[in-house]
Amino acid sequence: MSQQPILQVDHLSGGYSLGKPVLHDISFHVNPGEMIGLIGLNGAGKSTTMKHILGLMLPQQGSVRVQGKTREEGAEGYQSSLAFVPESPLLYEELTVREHLEFTARAYGVDPSDYERRSERLLDLFHMQNKADSLSMHLSKGMKQKVMIMSAFLAHPPLYIIDEPFLGLDPLGIRSLLDFMLETKREGASILLSSHILSTIENYCDRFIVLHQGSVIAQGTLSEVAMQAGTDGSSLEETFYALVKNGV
């Protein structure tokens, strides 16, 4: 397995207006086959970080590289190397679930035989077979979230950017997603996962990045982050609280 990070963020500063950066000189990386938890309070800069990685915002300083290249060095290859699951599902109301999956497969150039296998597996895993031919306008919020998740994992890129995926999912959907993320990770893909449900992701992520007021204040394994917080042996939730409580 290659030792080059799938995602490399170096000294990134950026935001929505020049002179007022939301992010302040943040650096981190995601290796092949890693699941990294990006955690922080509301307004810490998690979504802004993800927008820079996705190419929706340009860095004011620093760089973002996916598989060693910036978006400016090859936009098509950069974008095809990642898939995004947003916090709020965004679907075409007059497309069915299956048509969303077919659309994604075409956009990412998924082989037809791979599409058939992957789509049926995902529909089964997320218990959506009986909704496969339903228009998205007729789905619940949780079902719409499942369609976004299935579309991302159907694409099978080397990097997944996943923002608060558990909102709206029922307990079975959450467990299905966590199990599938672990399987995807074992196959060599990398996942950057943002979530407020720290007790859920604690045992699934390999490392954590703690953002606070636009800066990385700790990163590493749970034990490494706990040592930085002075809470050795504590849970992720207790460690996170210790890191941010004095700066809120």
Side-chain angles (χ1 to χ4, degrees):
M1 185 179 292
S2 171
Q3 294 304 305
Q4 174 179 273
I6 291 293
L7 171 65
Q8 182 77 50
V9 177
D10 286 317
H11 302 289
L12 174 65
S13 293
Y16 299 90
S17 60
L18 291 174
K20 293 184 179 180
V22 174
L23 304 176
H24 308 282
D25 194 34
I26 69 171
S27 296
F28 64 88
H29 66 278
V30 181
N31 290 319
E34 273 194 320
M35 188 187 305
I36 305 300
L38 180 65
I39 60 177
L41 299 172
N42 291 334
K46 302 185 301 298
S47 294
T48 305
T49 299
M50 289 185 166
K51 287 178 181 178
H52 279 85
I53 295 169
L54 294 168
L56 299 176
M57 299 178 72
L58 296 176
Q60 295 176 13
Q61 291 183 352
S63 64
V64 178
R65 297 180 182 275
V66 175
Q67 293 189 310
K69 294 185 178 180
T70 65
R71 190 176 186 277
E72 290 70 26
E73 292 171 340
E76 184 174 345
Y78 183 100
Q79 297 298 156
S80 65
S81 296
L82 54 83
F84 176 51
V85 179
E87 177 180 352
S88 299
L90 300 169
L91 301 176
Y92 296 101
E93 289 192 347
E94 296 185 359
L95 289 185
T96 67
V97 172
R98 197 181 301 278
E99 286 169 343
H100 277 94
L101 297 178
E102 291 172 351
F103 180 82
T104 301
R106 291 194 183 100
Y108 279 85
V110 177
D111 183 87
S113 61
D114 288 336
Y115 164 74
E116 292 295 335
R117 175 176 53 82
R118 292 181 197 169
S119 62
E120 291 305 311
R121 170 89 193 288
L122 289 163
L123 288 167
D124 282 337
L125 181 67
F126 288 97
H127 305 278
M128 291 287 287
Q129 282 284 12
N130 64 335
K131 297 292 184 180
D133 297 310
S134 297
L135 295 175
S136 67
M137 69 173 68
H138 297 146
L139 300 178
S140 68
K141 181 181 179 181
M143 289 180 178
K144 290 178 180 179
Q145 186 69 358
K146 288 181 180 180
V147 176
M148 296 295 297
I149 292 166
M150 290 190 298
S151 296
F153 283 98
L154 178 73
H156 214 270
L159 175 63
Y160 294 88
I161 308 297
I162 305 179
D163 190 10
E164 295 290 351
F166 308 123
L167 299 180
L169 291 185
D170 55 40
L172 186 57
I174 292 173
R175 182 58 183 268
S176 296
L177 174 57
L178 287 168
D179 288 345
F180 196 70
M181 285 196 293
L182 286 179
E183 180 180 324
T184 302
K185 187 169 78 80
R186 286 193 294 267
E187 292 172 352
S190 304
I191 299 169
L192 181 66
L193 169 67
S194 173
S195 177
H196 288 302
I197 310 177
L198 304 186
S199 59
T200 298
I201 68 171
E202 177 176 338
N203 295 320
Y204 285 84
C205 292
D206 300 292
R207 292 187 291 115
F208 301 92
I209 300 161
V210 184
L211 270 181
H212 189 57
Q213 298 178 353
S215 298
V216 175
I217 60 172
Q219 62 178 304
T221 64
L222 176 56
S223 61
E224 290 169 344
V225 171
M227 287 182 64
Q228 293 169 59
T231 59
D232 196 17
S234 297
S235 68
L236 179 61
E237 189 169 325
E238 292 168 335
T239 297
F240 174 74
Y241 177 71
L243 283 165
V244 305
K245 67 178 180 179
N246 294 324
V248 176

